[in-house]
Amino acid sequence: MTRLIIEISKYVLIALIVLYTLQCYLAFVKKDEDSREFLFLRQNVVMFCIHFVAFMVFYLKMERPMLLYFYGAQVLYLLAALVFFRNLYPRASKLIINNMCMLITIGFIMLTRLSYDQSTKQFTILAVGTVIALIIPVIIRKMRILTKWAWVYAVLGIGLLGVVAVIARSTYGAKLSLSVGGITLQPSEFVKILFVFFAAGMLAKSIEFKNIVITTGLAAFHVLILVISTDLGSALIFFITYLMMLYVATKDIRYLLAGFAAGAVAAVAAYFLFSHVRVRVEIWQDPFKEYEGGGYQVAQALFAIGAGGWFGTGLFQGSPGAIPIVDQDFMFAAIVEELGGIFAICLILICMSCFIMFVNISMKLEENFYRYVAFGLGCLYGVQVFLTVGGAMKMIPMTGVTLPLISTGGSSLLSTLASFSIIQGLYILREDEENRFEEEEYYDNGNGGYPDSRYPY
């Protein structure tokens, strides 16, 4: 009977995630406020159904009473996150809130499947991070002085990365983490946000050639420190994000082409200078040739993806634990194996809808600083998702970055929560700007009173 329930559950989960994903994109076309509210409510119901079905399977397989308490704690967290964000910030984007909670739910499911102990640790970090995230939109909206601190962001970012390069411990060939009071942090995850604020501040100040040279030099210094630390995944994220921000600010294709050319030269140089890079490229070219060595991780991920097919093997019916460090580097492969290729495609589309919302918010902001921040955070998120998915599927060499809000890793989780909250603050600023414009237009036409507020998706 248990076997039958697990077999049916995988099709139920696929149907539910397809329904949720469809509603993500319907939200972009629906204009009626009541229709949108009902759509967002349906998304919440679908999300809780996915969560319930998965944990029902877990309980049937594990038969641990503590699992029921953990499930209840997660439900309370999701309800609290939805209620607090929507009530504290009624003008925030409900689509972004829902997608954030949906991605967290998928993370809950996969981490609990892989390691109950690791998932409880991640849950604690998530609860603390969410409390902090609830404060961030107020700071973004009220502290306009943040637009003036470009040099402060640069000094802090370079300083933190420099400390990591000098004293951090090496993990899998890269200097990533610092331990402070028994707490391990990966500073580059937080410097990503500082980096976007620095680049936005400098580009909003001026796009004259002299200022671009200075800004590019400082950005390159960030990337160089990461390369010295052999944190090449983060270096690539920083590089692509800055290049896209520079192009959006200047609208000059020459900068984009020069950036890609410089990136290609740097990639070739890194291949010859760093054995770490050569190994990853060789593994990418033929992971099965080095199956007993460095290629084992990628090969097992490919086996997992192949075993999953379109519909997956079902929760607890695959072997994602056979992939080394699966909860960090190859969570996408674990999802494909047990939940299926259709589920994984929907996950990518949900991430894409987040990116579209980030860019949409960026395009509609009036102040250049905030516009560039929103676009930069969107690039950070989009590039990280691409690198994670591409590495798992052997589209690109493995970079070792996490799948945001899903993979294990406290620093990545906290920085992603902060990014989503900053975007919410910028969304509210966009609403402020639209309402101000409507009021000015209303009074310019000789009318009195206040126009109705607008609450888009």
Side-chain angles (χ1 to χ4, degrees), residues 40 71 82 152 168 212 222 254 275 302 306 369 443:
F40 296 136
Y71 167 74
L82 291 169
V152 175
I212 287 176
H222 283 79
R254 291 174 297 178
S275 60
L302 294 174
F369 174 80
Y443 283 112

Side-chain angles (χ1 to χ4, degrees), residues 189 192 233 237 241 378-390 399 401-405 412-413 415-416:
E189 290 291 342
K192 286 192 298 190
I237 293 172
T241 297
C379 286
L380 282 179
Y381 179 77
V383 172
Q384 187 164 340
V385 171
F386 172 76
L387 292 179
T388 307
V389 174
T399 55
V401 298
T402 56
L403 189 56
L405 296 177
S412 174
L413 179 63
S415 66
T416 306

Side-chain angles (χ1 to χ4, degrees), residues 34 46 50 97 110 168 188 201 226 253 264 301 329 331 339 355 377-378 386 388 411 435 455-456:
D34 291 335
V46 170
I50 290 173
I97 295 172
M110 292 310 301
S188 63
L226 288 167
I253 191 68
D329 297 350
M331 187 65 87
L339 298 178
F355 175 75
L377 292 176
F386 172 76
T388 307
S411 297
N435 288 337
Y455 295 87

